[in-house]
Amino acid sequence: MIYERNPKPPARNFLLASRMRSLLSLMHKRFLSSSPPPSSSFTVECLVNSCGLPSKSALEFSRDFHLHENNLQSFQSVFRCFQSHNIPSIRITKLIKRRPQILNYNVEDNLKPKLQLLVQNGIVGHHMCKVFVSNPVILNADLDSQIKPCFQFLKSVLGSNRNVVEAINRSSNLLTCDLKGCLQPNIDFLIKEGVPFDGVAEFLIRDAITVQHKHNSMVNAVNDLKNLGFDPKAPVFLEAVRVRIHMSESIWREKIEVMKSLGWSEEEIFSAFKRDPIFLKSPVEKIRVATDFFVNTLKLGRQILSEDPEFFTLKIDKSCRRRYDVFKLLESEKLLEGGVKIEEVLKMRDKEFLVKYVKKYVDKVPGLWETFNGRKQQQSLPGLTEVILVNLFPELSIWMLVFNAICHFFPGHFCSFSFLYIFSLSLAYFNLLCIFESIQSIHLIVKV
């Protein structure tokens, strides 16, 4: 074998190959190193033969859940207990996977009585499965001191089994909550303060998490709202309770001070809050951005926002700005008819806006589709991802030109494709190129 010195291959080829190998190495570490460990064949066999799961589902479960021969009998007894109540096999396996301790529970003394109680109260089939999967703590809860008293209290407030089932289906932790310390005192307090009984019952079904807050928090929230002039009998009162109780005093004060710094008076803030309490759920930064957009860009007065705080619940960057740009573009082309107001346009449903203001004029107004999709800046200034990729792989520039041409001539069909998709299609080509150049380099260095 003879070794000869040969000129070094072009530096650019080595640089390209090196960059590509680094990228592939990162991809290998990111995606391949996190692959699940080999599954237990015994677990898969039991899940398929004893439980009737499809092989694919059994393999998926076995990655995180392992059975051993010493707990096989316990597994089968627990499985059959749930199966006897018409719960699908895959749901039972999911429950056991989430809470493996269930295999140590006594079926006769623990599981069966709880299942029978649920059945007696109308929680069967899909609802029963959902209760256990979403809140497996029920399996540890005491039947006589916890679960039964919760059922009795819920029936006394909600009236019918149907309402109880709906409430538990929405929030299964109602059966494991602090009944004496939180739930019952809060319900009694709201009724005592003048909230209609039917409103409290509906609130319990719709938002059980709020009703389960610490009693002191509920008392403070109700008192704060009454001091602001809220009437507990008004339908909006419980909505305000929900917003206020989930907000700490510091965040509440911060939002009020931020709105004051933007020119709002306390009267305007609380007037908007009384009309639609949800608007104060918005983060501080969104309140800043929304106020700036509506007041400075759209020239809407704060009085309009105070009278209709729904504006603060709109998506500013993903919806409002784009609709405003479309509105101004159509206005400049004198295509808007009937004195359309921007306020009405912003609050339209997406489908209605698309049909009425985009598809109707997309063939008449150049750039309308790009404006609607918020790509005005992308056309004039490449994104950071594109700059980095093109600098790493100059050959990608030709793919970018092809991609932009397709999007220009067929905006309604191909705009959903991303540049990264084009890059992924090109990745195989560059990988093969690097392999070829590596083989060529070895051939230049070593000659037989």
Side-chain angles (χ1 to χ4, degrees), residues 144-199:
D144 294 321
S145 64
Q146 176 66 46
I147 300 179
K148 284 184 178 180
C150 284
F151 262 117
Q152 293 170 359
F153 178 74
L154 291 174
K155 281 186 179 180
S156 68
V157 177
L158 301 178
S160 65
N161 279 345
R162 180 178 180 180
N163 289 338
V164 173
V165 171
E166 183 178 356
I168 294 175
N169 199 33
R170 286 172 175 262
S171 182
S172 58
N173 60 355
L174 280 171
L175 296 177
T176 55
C177 68
D178 185 359
L179 178 62
K180 298 296 183 181
C182 296
L183 183 61
Q184 188 170 352
N186 287 341
I187 295 292
D188 293 341
F189 177 70
L190 290 173
I191 295 173
K192 180 182 176 182
E193 289 297 315
V195 181
F197 187 86
D198 291 343

Side-chain angles (χ1 to χ4, degrees), residues 205-262:
I205 295 174
R206 201 164 37 91
D207 191 7
I209 294 178
T210 297
V211 189
Q212 294 177 60
H213 260 68
K214 292 181 178 180
H215 185 58
N216 289 339
S217 299
M218 178 65 72
V219 172
N220 292 334
V222 170
N223 289 336
D224 285 347
L225 295 174
K226 288 173 65 178
N227 292 334
L228 292 176
F230 275 91
D231 180 6
K233 296 180 181 179
V236 75
F237 180 77
L238 289 175
E239 192 66 48
V241 170
R242 175 193 295 176
V243 174
R244 185 65 185 90
I245 205 171
H246 287 284
M247 201 182 305
S248 67
E249 185 66 26
S250 59
I251 294 178
W252 171 265
R253 286 297 165 194
E254 181 185 7
K255 290 184 178 181
I256 302 301
E257 293 303 320
V258 166
M259 296 196 73
K260 284 183 179 180
S261 69
L262 296 172

Side-chain angles (χ1 to χ4, degrees), residues 359-373:
K359 289 185 176 180
K360 183 177 180 180
Y361 302 107
V362 70
D363 295 329
K364 302 177 183 178
V365 182
L368 180 62
W369 186 265
E370 290 76 10
T371 301
F372 170 68
N373 283 283

Side-chain angles (χ1 to χ4, degrees), residues 184-407:
Q184 188 170 352
N186 287 341
I187 295 292
D188 293 341
F189 177 70
L190 290 173
I191 295 173
K192 180 182 176 182
E193 289 297 315
V195 181
F197 187 86
D198 291 343
V200 173
E202 183 181 352
F203 191 52
L204 178 59
I205 295 174
R206 201 164 37 91
D207 191 7
I209 294 178
T210 297
V211 189
Q212 294 177 60
H213 260 68
K214 292 181 178 180
H215 185 58
N216 289 339
S217 299
M218 178 65 72
V219 172
N220 292 334
V222 170
N223 289 336
D224 285 347
L225 295 174
K226 288 173 65 178
N227 292 334
L228 292 176
F230 275 91
D231 180 6
K233 296 180 181 179
V236 75
F237 180 77
L238 289 175
E239 192 66 48
V241 170
R242 175 193 295 176
V243 174
R244 185 65 185 90
I245 205 171
H246 287 284
M247 201 182 305
S248 67
E249 185 66 26
S250 59
I251 294 178
W252 171 265
R253 286 297 165 194
E254 181 185 7
K255 290 184 178 181
I256 302 301
E257 293 303 320
V258 166
M259 296 196 73
K260 284 183 179 180
S261 69
L262 296 172
W264 289 69
S265 66
E266 281 197 4
E267 184 180 354
E268 290 173 327
I269 297 171
F270 296 132
S271 175
F273 183 60
K274 289 177 184 178
R275 285 186 171 88
D276 189 2
I278 294 178
F279 98 93
L280 269 183
K281 288 179 64 177
S282 303
V284 171
E285 187 55 34
K286 182 175 181 180
I287 291 176
R288 292 182 189 274
V289 172
T291 300
D292 176 71
F293 176 73
F294 293 126
V295 174
N296 298 326
T297 303
L298 269 60
K299 306 301 180 184
L300 297 179
R302 283 190 299 274
Q303 183 179 356
I304 295 178
L305 300 179
S306 177
E307 293 175 353
D308 192 359
E310 182 187 352
F311 284 108
F312 284 92
T313 64
L314 302 177
K315 298 177 181 179
I316 305 301
D317 293 324
K318 293 184 178 180
S319 178
C320 292
R321 293 191 192 279
R322 298 182 184 185
R323 292 190 181 191
Y324 174 72
D325 291 338
V326 169
F327 182 85
K328 298 301 289 185
L329 182 58
L330 295 178
E331 191 176 54
S332 66
E333 297 288 336
K334 303 186 184 305
L335 293 173
L336 296 178
E337 302 175 355
V340 181
K341 294 182 178 181
I342 184 62
E343 302 97 297
E344 300 171 359
V345 173
L346 295 181
K347 292 195 290 185
M348 279 183 176
R349 290 182 301 175
D350 291 338
K351 185 176 181 180
E352 182 183 359
F353 177 82
L354 180 63
V355 171
K356 195 170 183 178
Y357 292 103
V358 180
K359 289 185 176 180
K360 183 177 180 180
Y361 302 107
V362 70
D363 295 329
K364 302 177 183 178
V365 182
L368 180 62
W369 186 265
E370 290 76 10
T371 301
F372 170 68
N373 283 283
R375 291 204 308 274
K376 294 175 70 175
Q377 293 182 351
Q378 292 181 12
Q379 291 181 339
S380 59
L381 183 65
L384 178 61
T385 303
E386 296 182 10
V387 172
I388 293 174
L389 291 175
V390 171
N391 275 280
L392 285 175
F393 310 107
E395 289 84 353
L396 283 176
S397 58
I398 186 65
W399 290 100
M400 287 179 61
L401 292 175
V402 173
F403 172 71
N404 290 332
I406 291 175
C407 288

